[in-house]
């Protein structure tokens, strides 16, 4: 059992103590994150882009996820490990259950599912099987072709109302955590204050209960970083220092900054 559990995440929301989340895909970086203040290590399917060099996350397979989850598990002790269900792994509840089961058997403690309306029964099924779920809404990168690119979601009032309602229904379906990606700050704030479960943001709001970034963005290694990224390496002076600087900035709510890293 890691030191950080789903109960810790819930308590952090109650206590207004921000949750620090960062991606890692191997044991070496997991060890650095675990030792330098990261609460949740996300083994994201962003590994398809960051590690494998693809243009999207779509080519990532369950076997890829299991390989990287197993490596991260070997490098970490305290952090809660969250793993993405890869593209089409949540196409129906039975498939999602098999994939989530495999990820938990590899050592993950929670799965992340990119959610629209159709994933509500998936979340219910996983939760009924005792699997903690983080529901990812807003910009869901596995839907990049349907969305027409990596675009901010929920900008018009109708889309914003739909996302707010979806968040509430995902909480009701049993999701123990929400992740909001690339939505306007006002909408993110409304969702954070309307649900009881912790809400982790990326390109969302400084008022989220936690923040997540992709590790290569924190280390300044991404050629064209997204607006919500921030290079902490210069400030931190080393990889461990950059991770510590990120964790401190999230806990102090000095990252993300209004407008610089968020959207209107
Ligand atoms: O795959 C990933 O790393 C993610 C983050 C961008 C939240 O989903």
């Amino acid at each position: 059992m890691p030191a950080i559990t789903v109960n810790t995440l819930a308590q952090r929301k109650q206590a207004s103590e921000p949750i620090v989340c960062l991606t890692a895909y191997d044991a070496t970086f997991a060890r650095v994150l675990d030792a330098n203040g990261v609460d949740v290590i996300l083994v994201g399917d962003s590994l398809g882009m960051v590690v494998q060099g693809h243009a999207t996350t779509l080519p990532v397979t369950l076997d890829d996820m299991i390989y990287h989850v197993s490596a991260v598990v070997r490098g970490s002790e305290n952090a809660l490990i969250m793993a993405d269900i890869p593209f089409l792994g949540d196409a129906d509840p039975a498939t999602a259950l098999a994939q989530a089961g495999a990820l938990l058997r590899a050592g993950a403690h929670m799965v992340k599912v990119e959610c629209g309306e159709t994933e509500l029964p998936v979340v219910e099924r996983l939760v009924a099987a005792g699997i903690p779920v983080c529901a990812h809404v807003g910009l869901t990168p596995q839907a990049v072709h349907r969305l027409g690119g990596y675009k901010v979601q929920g900008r018009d009032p109708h889309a914003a109302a739909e996302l707010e309602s979806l968040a509430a229904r995902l909480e009701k379906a049993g999701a123990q955590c929400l992740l909001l990606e690339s939505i306007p700050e006002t909408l993110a704030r409304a969702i954070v204050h309307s649900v009881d479960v912790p809400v982790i943001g990326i390109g969302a709001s400084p008022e989220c209960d936690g923040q997540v970034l992709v590790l290569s963005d924190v280390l300044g290694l991404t050629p064209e970083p997204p607006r919500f990224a921030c290079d902490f390496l210069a400030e931190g002076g080393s990889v461990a220092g950059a991770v510590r600087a990120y964790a401190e900035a999230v806990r102090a709510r000095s990252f993300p900054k209004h407008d610089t890293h968020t959207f209107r």
Side-chain angles (χ1 to χ4, degrees), residues 99-261:
Q99 301 230 340
L103 293 169
L104 260 69
R105 284 200 181 99
H109 307 115
M110 178 177 241
V111 295
K112 179 161 78 59
V113 181
E114 293 192 10
C115 289
E117 299 281 329
T118 43
E119 279 72 30
L120 283 162
V122 166
V123 173
E124 276 170 1
R125 184 68 191 94
L126 298 183
V127 172
I131 298 174
V133 175
C134 174
H136 180 159
V137 300
L139 171 55
T140 46
Q142 291 171 11
V144 60
H145 296 308
R146 181 173 58 75
L147 301 175
Y150 296 104
K151 295 180 188 305
V152 178
Q153 301 298 304
R155 268 194 162 136
D156 71 74
H158 177 70
E162 279 192 344
L163 278 180
E164 204 171 338
S165 152
L166 176 63
R169 280 176 297 148
L170 286 163
E171 177 180 38
K172 204 162 164 223
Q176 280 173 284
C177 179
L178 299 181
L179 189 148
L180 307 179
E181 178 167 354
S182 295
I183 63 173
E185 197 177 327
T186 47
L187 173 60
R189 200 182 306 132
I191 294 174
V192 170
H193 295 294
S194 68
V195 297
D196 290 327
V197 292
V199 179
I200 296 175
I202 176 165
S205 164
E207 285 186 41
C208 285
D209 306 304
Q211 304 294 335
V212 61
L213 279 181
V214 170
L215 182 59
S216 51
D217 290 348
V218 166
L219 300 180
L221 295 173
T222 309
E224 287 173 39
R227 175 194 179 92
F228 50 68
C230 187
D231 177 357
F232 285 90
L233 190 64
E235 180 186 338
S238 65
V239 172
V243 172
R244 258 194 318 275
Y246 166 70
E248 280 162 18
V250 169
R251 292 207 168 93
R253 293 196 195 274
S254 58
F255 175 83
K257 294 199 189 314
H258 292 288
D259 292 333
T260 310
H261 304 118

